């Protein structure tokens, strides 16, 4: 073979060599991994109940059961784990960590499945899934106003179990009832009480975690640095959280809510959205007043064109008699009247804002199954706004919703201020506090049939809207919310060689200056970067030993592969 011929063939050859090497390695590691588990878990009957391999009849149903973002569940476009583990106790998690580390398999930990980027159940390299569905107990202590919540529980289960014990205690976390608490709490946790009590992560008192050495730790034994990092910094970078101890918060016997819909084609509605920016973050901490903008089918006869609508929605921790004067004084043009409002209990508000009709029994929150209907896919992005945006700029943004013809697109404007702005930026890794008027959530959902061209169109749409808003949102860095994971911000290398500078491009968007402390904690507790994904916190490179010695394995190419390449080259040349 001539040099030029080999040179042109070389990249293809390397790709083939890597793929064959990975396939063979994955098979061997899979067998060794299972043998290792059987060694570390003495009860063989338990093993058969927690391990699912691709030859197991239940493998596909377990894998897809909690994937809410259907674009990541359609074969053959998504990678599949070698093994799924569904542990019942900490020792089984410890064994999974020890054996995965020993045989070079990545771990992806899944508690729910809403994960916007699928990082809790997808990986480009051989991996196992730790599915925490069996770790879902919620133990409520009304007298102490705390609860221990296992990481596989859903928000719906947390809310309902609190309600069983008390109608005047709640928790500050997210809206949708099927979200798993493991990822939600560790990324921050927006919810309808955030202006009163902060994020979910602001109300974590203790945690149980299995670290990279396979050790079970609580707050005292893990130390304050690691405890700080997992509350808003993404716990999957540091270990496997098994349970959280949360602070329960008081809620009134009755609260008031309203949802007023206005046509955005009308000039007065455009002005209302613009004016909302100046008042929503200044309301009393008992008030959360947000806006959702989306298209809807016209109700006019013979008119099939979609219309833009603005939903002005509020939750007020008090009676209607106190709410009305607040709105009429600060936002009179909304024209709110008593008939627009309804007084309901805290648990009824949770049921309502999670998507069920008013009056639905609260036990619906215990349903862990997917919503019925065709598979749905979604993409989300986020922004933080620090100065009011001009009316014409907002109008151009929401008119782009017309461009999303097949899916359902929306912009949600979520006010900050009050308690959220009082907490220092460095209190936990989530830094987006004082100085932010509101957050924007961009979202598009669609019926997914696996059409790659259609999927690309939806992604292109949300990227174009996000790009358009660049001059009008936070800068240096442009902020983003970790729980709306955005891989367009940057990603780590699959082989774990990501540098500090490379990871900073996305890390500072989520964490600002807190990123440096997160890297310090990561390097301390997981120096070999075992717990990693496309946007995990990187470990700093291992230093060379005095008097020589090898660099970190993460900076070295595959010795076997390059030995084979060197041999081939020497044979030809």
């Amino acid at each position: 073979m001539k040099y030029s011929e080999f040179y042109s063939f070389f990249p293809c050859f390397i790709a083939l060599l890597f793929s064959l090497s990975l396939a063979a390695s994955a098979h061997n590691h899979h067998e060794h991994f299972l043998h290792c588990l059987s060694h570390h878990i003495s009860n063989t009957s338990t093993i058969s109940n927690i391990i699912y391999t691709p030859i197991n009849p239940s493998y596909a149903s377990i894998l897809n059961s909690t994937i809410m973002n259907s674009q990541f569940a359609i074969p053959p476009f998504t990678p599949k784990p070698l093994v799924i583990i569904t542990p019942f106790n900490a020792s089984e998690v410890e064994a999974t960590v020890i054996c995965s580390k020993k045989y070079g398999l990545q771990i992806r930990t899944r508690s729910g499945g809403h994960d916007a980027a699928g990082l809790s159940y997808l990986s480009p390299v051989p991996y196992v899934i730790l599915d925490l569905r069996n770790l879902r107990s919620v133990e409520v202590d009304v007298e102490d106003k705390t609860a221990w919540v296992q990481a596989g529980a859903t928000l719906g289960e947390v809310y309902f179990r609190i309600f069983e014990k008390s109608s005047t205690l709640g928790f500050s976390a997210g809206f949708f009832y099927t979200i798993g608490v493991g990822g939600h709490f560790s990324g921050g946790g927006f919810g309808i009480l955030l202006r009163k009590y902060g994020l979910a992560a602001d109300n974590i008192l203790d945690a149980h975690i299995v670290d990279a050495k396979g050790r079970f730790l609580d707050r005292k034994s893990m130390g304050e640095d690691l405890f700080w990092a997992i509350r808003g910094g993404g716990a999957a970078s540091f270990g496997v959280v098994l349970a959280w101890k949360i602070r329960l918060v008081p809620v009134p016997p009755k609260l008031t809510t309203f949802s007023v819909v206005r046509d955005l084609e009308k000039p007065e509605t455009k002005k209302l959205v613009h004016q909302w920016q100046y008042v929503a973050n200044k309301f009393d901490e008992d008030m959360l007043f947000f806006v959702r903008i989306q298209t809807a089918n016209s109700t006019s006869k013979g008119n099939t064109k979609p219309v833009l609508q603005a939903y002005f929605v509020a939750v007020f921790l008090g009676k209607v008699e106190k709410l009305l004067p607040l709105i009429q004084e600060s936002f009179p043009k909304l024209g709110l009247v008593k008939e627009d409002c309804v007084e309901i209990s805290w648990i009824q508000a949770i049921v309502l804002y999670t998507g069920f009709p008013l009056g639905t029994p609260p036990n619906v929150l215990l349903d862990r199954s997917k919503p019925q209907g065709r598979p749905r896919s979604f993409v989300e992005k986020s922004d933080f706004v620090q100065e009011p945006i001009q009316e014409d700029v907002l109008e151009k943004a929401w008119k782009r919703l017309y461009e999303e013809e097949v899916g359902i697109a929306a912009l949600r404007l979520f006010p900050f201020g009050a308690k959220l702005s009082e907490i220092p930026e460095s209190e936990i890794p989530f830094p987006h506090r004082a100085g932010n008027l509101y957050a924007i959530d961009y979202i598009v959902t669609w019926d997914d049939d696996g059409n790659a061209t259609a999927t690309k169109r939806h992604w292109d749409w949300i990227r174009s809207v996000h790009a358009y808003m660049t001059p009008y949102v936070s800068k240096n860095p442009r902020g983003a919310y970790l729980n709306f994971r955005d891989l367009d911000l940057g990603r780590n290398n699959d082989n774990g060689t990501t540098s500090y500078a490379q990871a900073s491009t996305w890390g500072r968007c989520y964490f600002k200056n807190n990123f440096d402390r997160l890297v310090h904690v990561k390097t301390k507790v997981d120096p070999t970067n075992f717990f990693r994904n496309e946007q995990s916190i990187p470990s700093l490179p291992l230093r060379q030993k005095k008097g020589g010695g090898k660099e970190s394995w993460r900076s070295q190419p595959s010795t076997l592969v390059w030995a084979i390449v060197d041999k081939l080259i020497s044979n030809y040349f």
Side-chain angles (χ1 to χ4, degrees), residues 111-112 114 153-156 174-181 184:
S111 62
H114 282 248
T154 63
L155 291 183
F175 290 86
F176 205 66
Y177 66 109
T178 59
I179 292 175
V181 305
H184 183 70

Side-chain angles (χ1 to χ4, degrees), residues 17 37 45 72 91 137 188 219 229 233 287 289 313 324 381 411 469 480 534 552 559:
L17 189 61
L37 278 185
S45 61
F72 301 132
S91 64
S137 71
R219 178 174 181 172
M287 170 84 82
F289 182 21
V313 185
L324 281 174
K381 288 182 179 286
L411 305 178
M469 293 296 290
E534 288 84 340
S552 165
T559 305

